[in-house]
Amino acid sequence: MINRFKSNNLYEEAKKVLPGGVNSPVRAFRSVNGSPIFFEKGSGSHTWDADGNEYIDFCCSWGPLILGHAHAGVLGKVSDVMSRGTSFGAPSKYETELAKLIADNHRYIEKIRFVNSGTEAAMSAIRLARGYTGKNKVVKFEGCYHGHVDSLMVKAGSGLATLGTSTSAGIPEGFVKETIVLPLNDKDAVRAAVKEFGHDIACIAIEPIPANNGLLLQDKEFLLFLREICDQTGILLFFDEVISGFRVSFEGASGYYGIKPDMVAFGKIIGGGFPVGAYASSAKVMDCVSPDGPVYQAGTLSGNPVAMAAGIAQLEECLKPGFYESLASKADSFVNRIQSHADSKGYPFHMFNVGSIFWLSFSNKNRVRSADEIAPDGPELFKVFFDSIIEKGVYVGPSSYEVGFISQAHTEEDLSKAANAIIEALDVTYAK
Ligand SMILES: *Cc1c(COP(=O)(O)O)cnc(C)c1O
């Protein structure tokens, strides 16, 4: 067993003053054995914990670090900008620079508003959709996550096209009664909901590449169908690209599939490792946001120069020719190597990936399109797998529902070592 003495002590201290010892629940290792690992250092694809153990990191801060940890270009730009002050509560040129960088390289975006997290981006986009259309209801899909927005923390009630019920204490039923929750990849459910409530639906919100509850890749045809039904009804199509934006291509899933959303939310990669979110759309829609329009939304630290600088430095790297092709080809061969082993042993296991996002699915289904298709025994098998993989110096998010990320910093050598470790951990998992 690797030594986690210092991590365990830090966790005991943390629990005294932080609920569950953490500031975000999935960090608390509740889905796996043991207690959280406290990190001290990251460089490229590697991290080091408080006890000095080294890992090849596939969590990448849950996606933001597409260049890896402590990227020299990002750090250089950040320290340069930061040395002249961290925030003014007034505009600086960096906001415009980052906005232009995105608008100039994303065919579906004209204007953008920066906020501080993905949650805030989704919440504000929903408000804008309602303000712009004058309609109240929002369609969301079971298995998609849009941050901890009150009205989006909802699961389906009973029956087709019913209104949702909240998934967290502290959310009045009244807050979620305008949310309609539907199964993913199901055209009939969307048709039925639009038929019944269409006159009052402001937007259809979806992660076009759902990656917060496993990786539930949608048929492109389903996304095209959403585009079509929105065109027919005037409902706005809202792509939550907080995880897929700048990840599967610079233009995210919208560019990857070539489908135009009416509104997009960003987070994660956009801030270069700093807390940044954004929502974006056509100028016509965005001009409804205050101060130009009636939809109020504000932020004390929004667009602060340090976070903007990090975003600029990171996205400039992403724009270099071949960036996404190289990530995807590394990821494909990594995944193929692991899958071939699992297949040769006959393990009921499937590793999914789209570009540099991957998911370890502990089931032999090679199509998982909706939340209810996920195998129920995944979490138990994942516990065994996780214990084994951590011991081998490979870090992945501590839950079977989380995806992993490959960054530019992952070398062929890292990936070869990590693939071997994953293969050995699968052997342990399926030997039980
Ligand atoms: C991570 C994520 C969010 C929430 O972003 P936070 O920065 O954690 O608030 C929202 N939507 C999607 C699709 C995400 O992946």
Side-chain angles (χ1 to χ4, degrees):
M1 281 282 279
I2 57 170
N3 183 5
R4 285 206 230 151
F5 182 76
K6 287 184 181 161
S7 268
N8 292 342
N9 278 344
L10 288 166
Y11 184 49
E12 290 311 314
E13 285 306 302
K15 280 194 288 188
K16 295 176 188 164
V17 285
L18 301 169
V22 293
N23 281 298
S24 195
V26 80
R27 297 178 195 170
F29 274 45
R30 293 289 163 90
S31 313
V32 292
N33 302 314
S35 52
I37 298 170
F38 278 62
F39 285 94
E40 238 172 49
K41 195 174 84 175
S43 174
S45 55
H46 289 239
T47 52
W48 288 263
D49 70 16
D51 294 282
N53 303 305
E54 183 175 349
Y55 305 88
I56 302 173
D57 179 30
F58 290 99
C59 175
C60 295
S61 193
W62 302 105
L65 303 181
I66 197 167
L67 307 179
H69 294 267
H71 182 268
V74 175
L75 291 192
K77 176 118 185 161
V78 164
S79 14
D80 176 45
V81 171
M82 189 163 65
S83 67
R84 293 187 295 274
T86 54
S87 186
F88 302 100
S92 76
K93 66 178 179 185
Y94 301 108
E95 296 152 78
T96 315
E97 234 177 78
L98 183 55
K100 271 179 78 77
L101 193 67
I102 295 166
D104 288 350
N105 292 287
H106 195 305
R107 74 193 97 157
Y108 304 127
I109 286 173
E110 290 175 351
K111 285 191 177 181
I112 186 161
R113 168 62 63 85
F114 293 110
V115 293
N116 305 291
S117 69
T119 295
E120 221 187 309
M123 178 185 81
S124 309
I126 295 286
R127 183 183 303 145
L128 176 56
R130 288 174 165 148
Y132 177 80
T133 59
K135 294 172 181 174
N136 295 308
K137 290 193 171 21
V138 170
V139 170
K140 85 165 282 270
F141 294 91
E142 189 97 53
C144 285
Y145 178 64
H146 303 292
H148 59 94
V149 179
D150 276 341
S151 66
L152 299 177
M153 298 277 293
V154 192
K155 65 175 187 302
S158 52
L160 190 67
T162 58
L163 306 182
T165 56
S166 98
T167 55
S168 165
I171 302 176
E173 286 303 319
F175 283 29
V176 301
K177 74 174 198 301
E178 307 291 5
T179 309
I180 298 163
V181 187
L182 304 176
L184 279 162
N185 217 52
D186 183 340
K187 292 184 192 172
D188 286 340
V190 176
R191 278 193 202 100
V194 168
K195 187 161 180 232
E196 189 170 354
F197 300 109
H199 59 281
D200 196 30
I201 298 176
C203 70
I204 295 180
I206 188 169
E207 285 180 75
I209 294 179
N212 278 284
N213 189 58
L215 185 61
L216 303 175
L217 292 173
Q218 300 299 285
D219 296 328
K220 180 178 178 184
E221 205 200 329
F222 178 68
L223 299 171
L224 284 169
F225 161 79
L226 294 180
R227 177 66 276 167
E228 229 166 80
I229 205 160
C230 285
D231 284 340
Q232 287 158 8
T233 52
I235 295 171
L236 298 180
L237 181 59
F238 167 34
F239 278 1
D240 180 345
E241 296 233 42
V242 171
I243 213 164
S244 53
F246 314 108
R247 170 56 67 180
V248 295
S249 77
F250 192 87
E251 296 173 302
S254 315
Y256 181 82
Y257 291 115
I259 298 175
K260 176 185 180 292
D262 297 306
M263 315 173 80
V264 192
F266 295 118
K268 299 197 167 96
I269 291 173
I270 200 174
F274 283 78
V276 181
Y279 58 108
S281 181
S282 63
K284 186 171 173 225
V285 172
M286 291 310 287
D287 286 346
C288 284
V289 176
S290 57
D292 280 345
V295 177
Y296 190 73
Q297 186 272 308
T300 301
L301 291 167
S302 292
N304 79 82
V306 181
M308 295 294 102
I312 293 164
Q314 176 147 285
L315 293 191
E316 275 175 348
E317 277 301 310
C318 295
L319 279 169
K320 290 188 176 161
F323 180 85
Y324 290 99
E325 289 78 358
S326 137
L327 266 185
S329 94
K330 279 197 289 192
D332 290 345
S333 53
F334 177 64
V335 169
N336 288 339
R337 181 157 166 198
I338 295 163
Q339 189 64 49
S340 309
H341 176 80
D343 291 346
S344 74
K345 296 279 183 168
Y347 297 150
F349 169 86
H350 201 89
M351 190 164 175
F352 294 94
N353 80 300
V354 51
S356 55
I357 309 179
F358 66 81
W359 180 44
L360 307 165
S361 169
F362 290 81
S363 147
N364 54 5
K365 280 193 199 169
N366 57 9
R367 273 176 60 99
V368 184
R369 296 277 189 273
S370 66
D372 62 0
E373 287 174 4
I374 298 178
D377 46 353
E380 280 311 308
L381 290 166
F382 183 81
K383 275 189 192 174
V384 180
F385 174 82
F386 187 78
D387 283 345
S388 172
I389 200 74
I390 286 290
E391 287 291 316
K392 297 179 203 308
V394 172
Y395 189 83
V396 294
S399 156
S400 64
Y401 294 99
E402 300 294 346
V403 295
F405 301 93
I406 291 169
S407 75
Q408 185 195 41
H410 286 89
T411 61
E412 292 299 340
E413 193 195 342
D414 291 327
L415 293 172
S416 161
K417 270 192 194 162
N420 287 338
I422 290 174
I423 284 168
E424 287 169 25
L426 287 175
D427 291 342
V428 172
T429 306
Y430 287 106
K432 295 234 160 167

